[in-house]
Amino acid sequence: MSGQVAGRGATLEVGTVFLATSRGGDASGGWLLARARLEDVAEAAGWLRGEACRLADRLDPEPGARWARAGAVHPATGTGPDAPAALRAWAVDGERQSLVRELLRLRQPFALRFPDPGGAWYELGAGPVPAYASRADGAPGPPRCEAAGHVTPYVADMALRAARTPGDPPRTLVRCALAPHLTHEHDGIVRELSGPGGHVWGSFGIGVPVWRLRVAAPCSRQAGRGPCGLYADHPGGCVPAA
């Protein structure tokens, strides 16, 4: 579990929003499975608990699962890590759930990974969304995210077809255009379009190439000043497109 219960005198600011995520992966990398923006500690902790149960039920359904035909699911035994069992145990452990709420109340990030056979893993995490407020003293905002993602030939072809607007050819390497952010998803310009049509943006993860494309306006806000305009629920701060 990341984050320590420290700073007992800390207080939660009014209007704090939390970003909660679930991820899965193996030795080759990780993927975002789900995420949600929650308005308070109880909602964030409840979402994590519900997500643990949801993952467990899909990874290892009970023998009496209503959606499975009779005999399709049966108990199995074996050695090694068991992520679904660990997820279920964590979800019903009142003491561990209280610790999650305490960490979030003190604005400490929470992350817990559940290993599975073959090097696979599943992870739950949550933390306060950073408030990138404008600085009246002109101080610089947070530094730019240094993550970069590769664009495969297939995705490059999709970027050409995503908008019927002339523009530059797709890039082979995309740099994240966000200031530090809590989500594991990064965004960068895959292809610049001409005129007011916007640019083709792509999402990627650490060790995972660009997998999703969207057409959106260029990022024109200064780093760390105001919410990101790529899509409504992204907590990152924008960095100028240049």
Side-chain angles (χ1 to χ4, degrees), residues 2 6 15 17 26 33 45 49 53 55 68 71 84-85 98 101 103 112 120 143 159-160 162 182 218 221:
S2 68
V17 176
D26 52 27
L33 302 178
R49 183 176 181 275
C53 295
L55 289 175
S98 295
R101 291 191 294 270
L103 285 168
L112 186 59
L160 289 171
L182 295 178
R221 300 188 182 188

Side-chain angles (χ1 to χ4, degrees), residues 210-231:
V210 176
W211 74 77
R212 180 176 62 172
L213 298 175
R214 71 178 69 81
V215 177
C219 203
S220 59
R221 300 188 182 188
Q222 298 180 23
R225 295 172 182 263
C228 177
L230 299 182
Y231 49 99

Side-chain angles (χ1 to χ4, degrees), residues 6-212:
R8 292 281 178 175
T11 58
L12 197 63
E13 294 181 6
V14 175
T16 297
V17 176
F18 296 91
L19 179 70
T21 61
S22 64
R23 301 175 67 224
D26 52 27
S28 65
W31 294 266
L32 181 69
L33 302 178
R35 70 178 176 191
R37 284 170 63 94
L38 294 313
E39 298 297 329
D40 57 38
V41 169
E43 286 188 354
W47 187 93
L48 291 171
R49 183 176 181 275
E51 185 67 3
C53 295
R54 186 184 75 87
L55 289 175
D57 289 343
R58 281 155 177 75
L59 292 169
D60 184 17
E62 298 290 347
R66 290 182 297 175
W67 53 265
R69 63 180 177 81
V73 180
H74 57 84
T77 59
T79 60
D82 185 346
L87 284 161
R88 289 192 177 99
W90 177 81
V92 299
D93 189 323
E95 183 176 348
R96 299 173 80 185
Q97 294 299 316
S98 295
L99 179 58
V100 173
R101 291 191 294 270
E102 178 71 356
L103 285 168
L104 296 179
R105 187 185 69 80
L106 297 174
R107 297 179 62 83
Q108 299 294 317
F110 162 82
L112 186 59
R113 182 167 290 193
F114 302 84
D116 217 27
W121 51 266
Y122 298 89
E123 183 179 275
L124 298 174
V129 175
Y132 292 131
S134 298
R135 295 287 298 274
D137 57 4
R144 178 177 186 159
C145 176
E146 293 298 324
H150 291 277
V151 179
T152 63
Y154 175 76
V155 173
D157 183 65
M158 289 179 60
L160 289 171
R161 300 169 182 269
R164 299 181 180 181
T165 304
D168 295 342
R171 300 173 181 175
T172 58
L173 186 68
V174 175
R175 186 180 178 188
C176 184
L178 300 175
H181 43 95
L182 295 178
T183 179
H184 301 282
E185 193 173 30
H186 302 271
D187 274 279
I189 296 175
V190 176
R191 180 179 177 232
E192 295 187 11
L193 303 178
S194 302
H199 295 336
V200 178
W201 292 81
S203 299
F204 61 94
I206 299 298
V208 182
V210 176
W211 74 77
R212 180 176 62 172

